């Protein structure tokens, strides 16, 4: 157990004061190495699906533009 004591002798503006507190220090505990977090569901399914939807929308837009241009 450790003791810390602080004393202030005072000044023209403040009264003198003092305080005492106690604390203890535990031995160092070695923590295990963190484990890797598995990939989230959004990384596995959601993000590729959004990319596929964007590709589909662009492909449909290109096909529609080509169909509209071919008409006389």
């Amino acid at each position: 157990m450790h003791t810390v004591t602080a004393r202030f002798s005072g000044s023209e503006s403040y009264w003198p004061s003092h305080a005492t507190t106690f604390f203890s220090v535990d031995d160092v505990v070695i923590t295990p190495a963190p484990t890797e977090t598995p990939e989230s569901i959004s990384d596995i399914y959601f993000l590729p699906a959004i990319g596929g939807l964007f590709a589909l929308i662009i492909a449909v837009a290109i096909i529609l533009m080509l169909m509209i241009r071919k008409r006389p």
Side-chain angles (χ1 to χ4, degrees):
M1 174 114 22
H2 300 281
T3 304
V4 176
T5 302
R7 293 187 189 275
F8 177 64
S9 58
S11 67
E12 294 178 14
S13 301
Y14 297 98
W15 292 93
S17 66
H18 72 281
T20 303
T21 188
F22 302 92
F23 67 95
S24 64
V25 178
D26 295 332
D27 292 333
V28 175
V29 177
I30 298 174
T31 57
T35 58
E36 291 186 28
T37 25
E39 289 188 51
S40 69
I41 296 297
S42 71
D43 290 342
I44 296 172
Y45 298 109
F46 186 68
L47 295 177
I50 295 298
L53 287 175
F54 277 128
L56 178 65
I57 290 170
I58 290 170
V60 168
I62 291 172
I63 290 171
L64 288 175
M65 287 174 39
L66 291 174
M67 289 174 64
I68 290 172
R69 280 189 184 179
K70 287 186 179 181
R71 289 188 182 174

